[in-house]
């Protein structure tokens, strides 16, 4: 091939690559625009607002907005309601997460064996709350837990006077926790079930031949092999519990006396009151907490590998 022919081929190759790049950007452009408009710009705006004193009154006169540095964050940690919301969220995660995992593991182990059709029915039954509307589920549970609700009617049969579960400061948060555990248990059960079915049966059979009991087999073979699955489930559920909102919003509106106020509901209230600056700061504090908790759990997951 002559020098001129080689140069012409290189030019054609460059033109082809340029055209392919333009076509690729043409396909990617809608996603990039949607990402920028609905994700990146609101994200950056939220960061910027958390360092200002912007309120709903400033939307018509944005030049009145002042840069206040970290004042919103300082005010946030001086607010007893925000600290109460963080405490409620922490209790929800620290107590709700292990209970959810133990119950989900128990159901997963029970449904891993037995009759196929019966197990399929119960798997669908336990997973049903996950796909049900949170609002519909909350309305049903509100009927169950109210002062003259189903639960207290059942307790009355045994001569027990039940409290007004959703309006008692001692019982409101545990009542929401029970409903949330019931609702999220199905997700975790399916994850654990998939992990259990990935364990080779030969290992369990070898342990049985060696005389190991079912509990010893579960403790020495099943649990160690399930550690990555357990930690993955812990990450998913803890992130969900750190953001718990719908249950409190529908059933108690954060009450009574902020006993069910969560960090996410606090952010919602501040945005609703038009206090955009402090609401943005609170949302970023919650984001950092979720990121730190998730990073710690993934670090544990990586070390287990």
């Amino acid at each position: 091939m002559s020098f001129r022919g080689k140069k012409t081929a290189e030019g054609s190759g460059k033109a082809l690559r340029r055209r392919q790049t333009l076509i690729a950007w043409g396909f990617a452009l809608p996603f990039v625009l949607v990402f920028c408009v609905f994700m990146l710009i609101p994200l950056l705006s939220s960061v910027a607002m958390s360092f200002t004193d912007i309120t709903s009154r400033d939307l018509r006169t944005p030049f009145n907005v002042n840069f206040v540095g970290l004042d919103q964050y300082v005010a946030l940690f001086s607010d007893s309601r925000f600290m109460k919301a963080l405490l409620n969220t922490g209790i929800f995660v620290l107590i709700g997460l292990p209970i959810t995992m133990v119950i989900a593991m128990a159901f997963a182990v029970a449904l891993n064996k037995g009759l196929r059709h019966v197990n399929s029915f119960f798997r669908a039954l336990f997973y049903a709350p996950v796909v049900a509307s949170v609002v519909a589920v909350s309305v049903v549970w509100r009927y169950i837990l109210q002062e003259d609700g189903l639960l207290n009617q059942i307790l009355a049969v045994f001569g027990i006077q039940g409290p007004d579960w959703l309006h008692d400061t001692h019982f409101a948060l545990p009542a929401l926790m029970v409903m949330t555990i019931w609702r999220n248990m199905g997700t975790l059960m399916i994850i654990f079930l998939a992990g259990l079915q990935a364990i080779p049966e030969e290992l369990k059979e070898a342990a049985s031949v060696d005389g190991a009991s079912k509990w010893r087999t579960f403790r020495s073979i099943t649990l160690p092999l399930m550690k990555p699955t357990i930690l993955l489930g812990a990450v998913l559920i803890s992130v969900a519990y750190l953001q718990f909102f719908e249950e409190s919003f529908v059933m108690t509106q954060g009450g009574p006396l902020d006993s069910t106020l969560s960090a996410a509901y606090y952010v919602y209230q501040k945005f609703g009151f038009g206090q955009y600056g402090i609401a943005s700061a609170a949302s970023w504090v919650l984001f950092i907490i979720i990121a730190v908790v998730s990073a710690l759990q993934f670090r544990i997951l990586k070390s287990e590998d």
Side-chain angles (χ1 to χ4, degrees), residues 16-258:
L16 179 62
R17 284 195 293 274
R18 197 160 43 240
R19 191 169 62 182
Q20 289 175 337
T21 303
L22 289 174
I23 292 173
W25 273 108
F27 280 110
L29 191 60
F31 169 76
V32 173
L33 286 175
V34 169
F35 175 78
C36 289
V37 171
F38 294 103
M39 293 288 291
L40 188 59
I41 294 176
L43 199 67
L44 296 177
S45 300
S46 174
V47 175
M49 284 194 296
S50 70
F51 295 106
T52 68
D53 60 356
I54 184 171
T55 65
S56 56
R57 290 175 298 179
D58 300 319
L59 294 179
R60 293 183 179 179
T61 55
F63 293 107
N64 291 337
V65 177
N66 299 308
F67 177 78
V68 296
L70 295 174
D71 286 0
Q72 298 287 22
Y73 291 91
V74 173
L76 202 57
F77 285 100
S78 303
D79 185 352
S80 59
R81 291 193 73 241
F82 182 68
M83 300 309 292
K84 177 72 174 176
L86 286 183
L87 178 64
N88 289 339
T89 305
I91 292 172
F92 206 91
V93 175
L94 292 176
I95 297 178
L97 177 63
I99 293 176
T100 309
M101 297 188 70
V102 169
I103 295 175
M105 179 62 81
F107 279 113
V109 170
L111 295 177
N112 191 37
K113 296 288 185 183
L115 297 175
R116 180 181 175 185
H117 296 297
V118 174
N119 285 348
S120 298
F121 170 75
F122 280 108
R123 288 174 195 175
L125 181 67
F126 293 137
Y127 194 71
V130 179
V131 296
S133 163
V134 180
V135 176
V137 167
S138 299
V139 170
V140 172
W141 273 84
R142 191 167 57 186
Y143 166 72
I144 294 172
L145 297 171
Q146 63 190 11
E147 191 171 13
D148 57 349
L150 181 63
L151 179 58
N152 281 348
Q153 290 179 20
I154 294 173
L155 291 176
V157 173
F158 298 98
I160 301 172
Q161 177 64 45
D164 189 355
W165 300 93
L166 298 177
H167 296 94
D168 188 307
T169 53
H170 298 98
F171 293 102
L173 189 62
L176 291 189
M177 204 180 292
V178 168
M179 192 201 82
T180 308
I181 290 170
W182 169 80
R183 186 170 175 275
N184 287 281
M185 185 266 297
T187 302
L188 210 51
M189 184 198 70
I190 294 296
I191 294 173
F192 287 165
L193 201 53
L196 287 171
Q197 292 181 349
I199 297 175
E201 285 296 325
E202 293 80 6
L203 295 176
K204 297 178 184 177
E205 290 170 0
S208 178
V209 170
D210 289 341
S213 63
K214 289 185 177 180
W215 169 245
R216 180 61 186 272
T217 303
F218 178 77
R219 189 162 56 90
S220 302
I221 294 177
T222 305
L223 272 184
L225 293 176
M226 283 283 292
K227 277 184 179 177
T229 308
I230 292 171
L231 286 168
L232 175 64
V235 171
L236 295 176
I237 296 299
S238 61
V239 170
Y241 284 1
L242 282 168
Q243 301 179 81
F244 94 93
F245 167 78
E246 295 95 340
E247 298 85 352
S248 177
F249 175 72
V250 176
M251 298 179 69
T252 60
Q253 288 79 49
L257 300 176
D258 294 334

